[in-house]
Amino acid sequence: MKKRLQQLLSLILTLLLLSTLLVLPAAADEPPVTIQVGGVTMASGEYLASGDTAVSTTQPDATTGYAYFEIVESVPTLTLHNYTYVGVLNQNDDENPLIAIKSLVSLHIILKGTNSVTSAADNYPYEFVSSGVYISGALNITGSGTLNAIGGGTRNSGYGGRHIYSYGVYATNSITIQDAEVNAKSGNSYSYASGAIAYSYGLYSDGAITVNGGTVTAKGETSNLYSYGIQASQFVITAGTVTVQGYSKAVNNDLTYPTAYYTATADATNYDGAGASDYVAANLASYKYLNFSPETYAITYDAGTGEGTVPTEGTKTYGEDYTVSTSYPLTKTGYTQIGWTTGSESTDGTGAVTTLTANAVATLYPVWVPTYAVSYNVGSGEGTVPAAETKTHGVDYTVSTSYPLTKTGYTQIGWKPDSESTDGTGAVTTLTENAAATLYPVWSRNSTGGESSGTTSGSATTTETTKNEDGSSTTTVTNKTTGTVTETTKYPDGSTVVTEMKKDGSVATTDKQVSGVTTVTKTDASGNTAASVTVPSTVKNHVTVTIPTDLGKTGGTVSVTVTDPDGKQKTVKGDYADGKINLPVSGSATIEILDDFVPLAALPFTDVAEGAWCHDAVQWAVAHDLFAGTSETTFAPNAPMTREMLWTVLGRLDGQTLKGSGVFDRAKGWASEQGITDGSNPNGKLSRQQLVTLLWRLAGSPTPSGNSDGFSDAGAVADYAKAAFAWAVENGIVAGSDGKLLPEGLATRAQVATMVKRYAQKIAK
C-alpha cells in the first residue's frame, strides 16, 4: 500500500512539473514595420524631405521633394515625390552602410516627379553592399514619375577574400515595374584584394524581373570581374521600352518579350550599342547591349466623300490604346460629321469609335448623319425670316422663337410646317420628323380696340411684353379661344425659355441654352411630367439641365430614369428646389421622374457641425448616395481618399450602381471606359490636382479661357493638371485657400464632396 502511495505521489509531481514546462510565455506584440530612407528610419505616416535627417508628419513642399511611408491595405508603401538623396560614407557603420533606400520587407514604391537616390562611393576595407534600393522581399514600382537609382562606386584593396557588390536596385524576391520610368545603374566596382570578387548590377533579383509598361534602363557599370545589366531567375517584358547594358553581359538569365510586336536590337561588342543590329535569341549570352522597343503603327485620317482638312496622322504604340480625334472638321452636303470609324465611312451615324486597341496600322473615315434643310417662309407677311438651318437625323429640331414678321391686322405668334395659319393655331416648338421642312408664320388676328402700353389685343389673342430685372424680356401670348397661354422669355446671353400652358392644365416648356442644349418638359393634365434633352454633337461634356415640375415639396432629391438614344437606362438623383429639378446628363436622352422624393435631412455626424464650411456639400453628397459615413455618427471630413474611392463617387454621380462586393473593380472599369483614368494605382492617396484633373476629364477636357497663375503656388501644379486647374477656377469648382491651390495636398472627403457638388451644379449651365 505504502509503495503504491509513493508511486502515485511521484506521478502527481511529474505531472505538475510537466504542466509548468508546457506553459508558454505570452507572445510579444510585433514591432511596427519601418524602412530606411537616406539613412533615416521611417514609420507609417511619416514624411522625409530631401536633405533632411529627421522625419515629420507634415507633408513638405513638392518642389523641395519628399518621401512618404505608409501601410496601405497591409502593404508597406513608399511614395517618392521629387525626392533626392546622395549618400555620405560612414565607415564607422560596417553593416550595409551604403544603401540609399532599405527595407527588410516587401515594398511598393510609387513615383511622382523626378526622384534620384545614390548610395555613397567607397574605398572600404570590408565586404560590403552598395545599392540605390535594397529590398529583402518583393519590390513593386508604379507611378507616373521617374526613379534614378544608382549604386555607389566601390573599391576594396584592404583585405583578401572579401567580396564587394554594387547595385542600382536589388530585391531578394521579384521586381515588377508597372508604367513607370526607372533608371537603375550600378557604380564602378573594383577589387584588388587577393581572392575577392567585384560585382556590378543594374537590376538584381533572386526571383523574376517583369516590366509591364513604362521605360526601364538597367546598367551594370565597369567592373574588373563581373558586370551585368540584369541578373534574375527570369526577365519578362510585356509592355514598355527597355534598355540593358553590362560590361560582362547585358542579361544573365532567360528572356521573354512579345517578339511579334517589338523591335529588338543587340550588340555583342559595344556596351553603348554603337554597333547594334537585329537581336538573335540564340546569341543572348554574348550580348553586352540590348534594346526592346514596342512597335508603333501609323493612324491616318481619310476625308472619304467629305471636304476639309483631316486631323494630322497619329501613332499607336503596341499595348496602348490610341485615342481617336474628337475633331470633326469635314463637310458634306446633306450630312453632318459626328465621328470617325474604321474600314469605310458611315452615312447612317453608326460605327463611330473613340479608341483603337488593335496593334495594327489603321485608317479612320468619317461617320455622317443625314441633315435636313429647315427654312422659314414669309407667307403673306412682311419682314426678314430667320436664317435657314439644318435638322440632324434622330435629333429634334428646335423651332425659332423669333417672330419678326408683320401683317396688317395680325400679330405673329409662332411657326408651323406646310402652310401659314391665321387663327392662332398650329404653332410648333420642335420638329421630330427626319425630313426637310418649311415653316410658315402663325398669325393671331388683332382686335379693333387699339393697343395699351406693352400689350396688343385681338379678337383671338392678346400679346404683352415685359422687361425683367435680370435683363430678360418675356412675351406672353394669350389665345382667348383656346385658353392657351404662351410665355417666351429671352435672356441677354441668347438663351430662351418657351412655356405653353393649356386650359386643361397641361404645360410644355422648351429651354434652349446658348450651347444648343435643349430641354423639352411636358406635364399633362394629371400632373405627370416627362422630359427630353437634346445635346448637340458639338457639346462633349456633361451638362446640367433644368426640369420645371411642381412636386409640392421643399428642397430635397428626386430620382429620375435617364434613357439614351440607344435605349440604355440609368437612374440618377437630381436636386429639387423652387419647383425645378436640376441634374447632370452626358448626352441626348428622355427623362422620367420617379415618385421617390427625399427631403434634405439633418446630418447625423458629430464631426460635421451645422455651419461648418463643408456641411452643405456633405449633406448633398450623402443625399445623392455618393458617400456614406465612416460610422453612424462620423463622416471623417478630413480623412484622405484614394483614387478608386473617387472613381466610385463619380460613377455613382453618373448613375452607375456601385455597391456591394467588387465595387472598386466595377468603378475602375467605368472610369477607364470614360477615359478619365488608366486604372493604375487604385489604392494611391488622391491629391487635389488628381481630383481636379479627373473632374476635368469627365467634363470632356474642355479648353479653359484663362489660367490659374493668380495663385501663389500655381508653379507647383504638374503639367498634366494645369489646364484642369484653370478650368476648375474658371468654373468656380476650385476657390483655393489663402491664395493657394495646394495641388500636392491630399484631397480629403470634405473637399471631394465640395468639388463634386460644384461640378454637378455648375458645369455647362
Side-chain angles (χ1 to χ4, degrees), residues 515-656:
S515 62
V517 176
T518 303
T519 306
V520 178
T521 306
K522 296 181 180 180
T523 302
D524 63 21
S526 300
N528 301 310
T529 300
S532 63
V533 181
T534 301
V535 179
S537 60
T538 54
V539 177
K540 304 300 180 185
N541 54 307
H542 280 68
V543 296
T544 300
V545 298
T546 299
I547 302 172
T549 183
D550 186 3
L551 301 179
K553 310 286 186 179
T554 55
T557 62
V558 63
S559 296
V560 300
T561 299
V562 179
T563 305
D564 68 17
D566 294 329
K568 296 180 181 179
Q569 291 187 336
K570 60 184 177 182
T571 301
V572 299
K573 285 196 173 185
D575 294 318
Y576 177 78
D578 301 325
K580 298 176 181 177
I581 299 173
N582 290 297
L583 74 153
V585 297
S586 56
S588 298
T590 57
I591 298 170
E592 178 186 359
I593 301 171
L594 304 179
D595 187 17
D596 70 342
F597 174 82
V598 178
L600 286 177
L603 290 175
F605 307 130
T606 57
D607 53 358
V608 183
E610 184 80 27
W613 72 270
C614 63
H615 176 275
D616 291 350
V618 171
Q619 186 181 45
W620 176 88
V622 171
H624 284 260
D625 294 329
L626 305 183
F627 282 80
T630 54
S631 73
E632 292 184 357
T633 58
T634 58
F635 182 78
N638 296 320
M641 290 193 53
T642 63
R643 286 162 57 84
E644 65 185 4
M645 289 177 182
L646 180 62
W647 300 338
T648 305
V649 168
L650 297 181
R652 289 170 177 167
L653 178 68
D654 190 55
Q656 306 300 311

Side-chain angles (χ1 to χ4, degrees), residues 85-90 97-100 118-122 130-131 150-154:
Y85 171 77
V86 178
V88 178
L89 176 64
N90 176 10
L98 309 175
I99 296 174
T118 305
S119 64
D122 177 58
S130 174
S131 184
I150 304 170
T154 58

